[in-house]
Amino acid sequence: VGGPANGEVYTALAEMEELLETESVLITNLEGYIRVQEDKLNFLKNKMDEYQREHSDASHDITAYVSNPINAYLLTKRLTTDWRQVENLMEHDVGTDFLQNITQYRSLLKFPSDEDLNGAAVALLRLQDTYQLDTSSVARGKLNGIQYSTEMSSDDCFELGRQSYVNHDYYHTVLWMNEAMARMLEEPTNHTQSFTKADILEYLAFSTYKEGNIESALTMTNELLQLLPHHERANGNKRFYEKEIAQQLQLRKMKGDD
Amino acid sequence: VGGPANGEVYTALAEMEELLETESVLITNLEGYIRVQEDKLNFLKNKMDEYQREHSDASHDITAYVSNPINAYLLTKRLTTDWRQVENLMEHDVGTDFLQNITQYRSLLKFPSDEDLNGAAVALLRLQDTYQLDTSSVARGKLNGIQYSTEMSSDDCFELGRQSYVNHDYYHTVLWMNEAMARMLEEPTNHTQSFTKADILEYLAFSTYKEGNIESALTMTNELLQLLPHHERANGNKRFYEKEIAQQLQLRKMKGDD
């Protein structure tokens, strides 16, 4: 028991626990922000319902409506004192306190750095390699058939691919970008993705090229160009891959492989 | 048929119809504003649910949670790239286009002035006097038992009282402030009121005094001071009413009325 190795693990765990505390504070603040915004929206929705109801009443017989002195008073009031109230509330930013908290948290709470994120990604990929774990099993949070953690979203997989790419680890980039693509297609209602199919294709194509498969890289780049015909870098890459393929053909011919 | 009187009515009706068009534009803009704010809030709520779910999972066994490399990666990601996304959205004011529209509408659309509101209020009170209509019937939108318009809210009644007060018409102030009070008690869930019970009591007390009933004015002022003991003007009025009552007693004694 003890020893430096265990000590390091304990330090790392203590740091992770601190991050959970940070997260707890952020959640509470986000809850508060959502609550005041919802109160504001509910007030505005009530007002809108009232305006819509009155307005549709008026539209049935405009002349009859406006020649009625009660309606004339209510319409005039809606467009003077009532509307000013609505306008003021629309213009009033109710979330400022919570936004200020967020700024303060940056200096008060422990946040992981981008390096920490990279480190956590690498640790996970190392685990995958060591135990030769199937990518889609890891993504489903299942290790050797046991539910080991929550499922990863397509965004979580994309970020693992991106971190691998940053580390010039094209092997894992391809694995995780493919997984991100598969998961994305299973999440049609997820609108919180920070990336598009085109982004994945670009990472995949370049990493596949780096892994030595130029033909696949060209196929994926063409697929990307079907989505975004004017994508500048993809058009450049397409010309580059085509030239490379042509040169290799040439080389094989010269060697007499053909 | 024709004649200046009818011509004026037609002009007034045409102007009211224009106000209905203004209202229609304002409603559409308000709908748009509410829609983008709701989209933003729904995104943040989804994120919050995800954070809360993960966080409560973690809380069950913190050490087990953070020593799992998938969780460690996901937690680190939540507090780096994910949180930046949440933060950016929180700080991004999605309603600016609609707020800019509102500013433009002020010069592009026909809005009634405060004088128009006063005029509409006076026209309604004149109708009430001419046909000797009961205040609460008018407030319920019923004239001679027929549903003649929508019901007025306590706020609509309060504003009629306020307009009367501005015109030094203390008789109608008392009628409509009393009606506002009655309606307010019937609207416990209405949080869009622009006034408090204390506001009504202050208008009522002063108008009742102006109508010659100092004792009632003092009673209402005392009621107001129970709600707001440090209300400066009410404390001043209380001393004034008490002095007036004492002087009148003195006067009656001197005249030998006692």
Side-chain angles (χ1 to χ4, degrees):
Chain A
V1 226
N6 268 334
E8 267 170 42
V9 170
Y10 290 143
T11 308
L13 288 185
E15 276 174 11
M16 294 303 275
E17 286 174 17
E18 249 187 286
L19 294 187
L20 276 174
E21 280 169 41
T22 297
E23 188 171 51
S24 164
V25 175
L26 296 185
I27 290 173
T28 306
N29 191 59
L30 182 56
E31 281 171 343
Y33 178 84
I34 289 175
R35 196 178 53 244
V36 295
Q37 296 284 355
E38 273 193 324
D39 287 348
K40 172 177 166 173
L41 264 193
N42 285 337
F43 181 97
L44 290 176
K45 274 158 125 182
N46 280 338
K47 279 288 171 190
M48 188 178 68
D49 289 347
E50 193 186 310
Y51 275 62
Q52 279 174 330
R53 199 169 49 239
E54 278 298 308
H55 197 79
S56 99
D57 274 5
S59 306
H60 287 142
D61 187 346
I62 293 181
T63 311
Y65 183 88
V66 296
S67 53
N68 169 331
I70 299 182
N71 290 335
Y73 163 69
L74 291 176
L75 173 61
T76 314
K77 176 171 176 282
R78 284 205 300 279
L79 292 177
T80 49
T81 59
D82 289 7
W83 182 249
R84 268 197 292 273
Q85 201 189 359
V86 170
E87 224 180 72
N88 285 341
L89 184 60
M90 282 173 83
E91 280 163 4
H92 179 57
D93 194 353
V94 294
T96 39
D97 286 357
F98 298 97
L99 294 179
Q100 274 166 9
N101 286 347
I102 282 187
T103 314
Q104 289 182 341
Y105 292 158
R106 282 279 166 211
S107 51
L108 294 173
L109 300 176
K110 184 178 162 62
F111 274 89
S113 65
D114 287 339
E115 289 71 40
D116 291 330
L117 177 59
N118 193 264
V122 167
L124 177 53
L125 298 172
R126 202 178 295 141
L127 179 90
Q128 180 181 17
D129 291 348
T130 306
Y131 296 97
Q132 294 180 296
L133 300 168
D134 172 50
T135 305
S136 84
S137 301
V138 177
R140 272 181 273 115
K142 281 200 172 154
L143 303 191
N144 300 321
I146 293 157
Q147 194 72 40
Y148 185 61
S149 78
T150 34
E151 276 199 50
M152 291 189 193
S153 67
S154 60
D155 200 73
D156 298 330
C157 298
F158 180 82
E159 187 59 32
L160 261 184
R162 211 179 61 82
Q163 293 294 336
S164 306
Y165 183 85
V166 167
N167 296 339
H168 309 287
D169 171 0
Y170 303 111
Y171 169 70
H172 286 113
T173 307
V174 171
L175 286 184
W176 285 97
M177 284 296 172
N178 271 321
E179 189 61 30
M181 182 81 90
R183 305 234 117 211
M184 191 177 73
L185 301 174
E186 288 170 18
E187 294 168 2
T189 57
N190 180 359
H191 302 299
T192 69
Q193 275 149 0
S194 58
F195 61 92
T196 64
K197 191 180 171 186
D199 293 329
I200 296 187
L201 283 170
E202 198 181 349
Y203 279 108
L204 268 181
F206 190 74
S207 302
T208 303
Y209 160 71
K210 282 289 194 176
E211 289 278 287
N213 192 340
I214 310 183
E215 283 81 4
S216 278
L218 180 58
T219 308
M220 288 178 206
T221 304
N222 284 331
E223 204 181 327
L224 163 54
L225 284 168
Q226 281 191 333
L227 296 173
L228 300 172
H230 304 292
H231 193 294
E232 215 170 305
R233 204 167 39 234
N235 276 304
N237 287 346
K238 178 186 162 77
R239 285 190 296 275
F240 173 77
Y241 297 146
E242 283 168 346
K243 216 170 109 189
E244 285 272 300
I245 290 169
Q247 278 177 347
Q248 285 188 355
L249 271 175
Q250 192 70 21
L251 214 63
R252 270 183 241 159
K253 265 190 198 150
M254 280 167 64
K255 282 188 189 164
D257 291 356
D258 222 33
Chain B
V1 223
N6 268 333
E8 267 170 43
V9 170
Y10 290 143
T11 309
L13 288 184
E15 276 174 11
M16 293 304 275
E17 287 175 16
E18 250 187 286
L19 294 188
L20 277 173
E21 280 169 41
T22 296
E23 188 170 50
S24 164
V25 176
L26 297 185
I27 290 173
T28 306
N29 190 59
L30 181 56
E31 280 171 344
Y33 178 84
I34 288 174
R35 196 179 52 245
V36 295
Q37 296 284 355
E38 273 192 325
D39 287 348
K40 171 176 166 174
L41 264 193
N42 286 338
F43 181 98
L44 291 176
K45 274 157 124 182
N46 280 338
K47 279 288 171 192
M48 187 178 69
D49 289 347
E50 193 186 310
Y51 276 61
Q52 279 173 333
R53 200 170 46 240
E54 278 299 308
H55 198 79
S56 98
D57 274 6
S59 307
H60 288 140
D61 186 345
I62 294 180
T63 310
Y65 183 89
V66 296
S67 53
N68 169 331
I70 299 183
N71 290 335
Y73 163 69
L74 292 175
L75 173 61
T76 313
K77 176 171 177 280
R78 284 204 301 279
L79 292 177
T80 49
T81 60
D82 290 7
W83 181 250
R84 269 198 292 274
Q85 200 189 2
V86 171
E87 223 179 74
N88 285 341
L89 184 60
M90 282 172 84
E91 279 162 3
H92 179 57
D93 194 352
V94 294
T96 39
D97 286 356
F98 298 98
L99 294 180
Q100 274 166 9
N101 287 346
I102 282 188
T103 314
Q104 289 182 341
Y105 292 158
R106 282 279 166 210
S107 52
L108 294 173
L109 300 176
K110 185 180 160 64
F111 274 90
S113 64
D114 287 340
E115 288 70 39
D116 292 330
L117 177 59
N118 193 264
V122 167
L124 177 52
L125 298 173
R126 202 178 294 142
L127 178 90
Q128 180 181 17
D129 291 348
T130 306
Y131 296 98
Q132 294 181 295
L133 301 168
D134 172 50
T135 305
S136 83
S137 301
V138 177
R140 272 181 274 116
K142 281 201 172 154
L143 302 191
N144 299 321
I146 294 157
Q147 194 72 39
Y148 184 62
S149 78
T150 35
E151 277 199 49
M152 291 188 194
S153 67
S154 60
D155 200 72
D156 298 330
C157 298
F158 180 82
E159 188 58 30
L160 262 183
R162 211 180 61 83
Q163 292 294 335
S164 305
Y165 182 85
V166 167
N167 296 338
H168 308 287
D169 171 0
Y170 303 110
Y171 169 70
H172 286 112
T173 307
V174 171
L175 286 183
W176 285 98
M177 284 297 171
N178 271 322
E179 191 61 31
M181 183 81 89
R183 305 234 119 210
M184 191 176 74
L185 301 174
E186 288 169 18
E187 294 167 3
T189 58
N190 180 359
H191 301 300
T192 68
Q193 275 150 0
S194 57
F195 60 90
T196 63
K197 191 180 172 185
D199 293 329
I200 296 188
L201 283 170
E202 198 181 350
Y203 278 109
L204 267 181
F206 190 74
S207 302
T208 303
Y209 160 72
K210 281 291 194 175
E211 289 276 287
N213 193 339
I214 310 183
E215 281 81 5
S216 277
L218 180 59
T219 307
M220 290 177 204
T221 305
N222 283 331
E223 205 180 326
L224 162 56
L225 284 167
Q226 281 190 332
L227 297 173
L228 300 172
H230 304 292
H231 193 294
E232 213 170 305
R233 204 165 41 234
N235 276 304
N237 287 345
K238 179 185 162 79
R239 285 191 295 275
F240 174 77
Y241 296 147
E242 282 169 346
K243 215 171 110 188
E244 284 271 301
I245 291 169
Q247 278 178 347
Q248 284 187 355
L249 272 177
Q250 192 69 22
L251 213 64
R252 269 184 240 157
K253 262 190 198 152
M254 281 168 63
K255 282 189 187 164
D257 288 357
D258 225 32

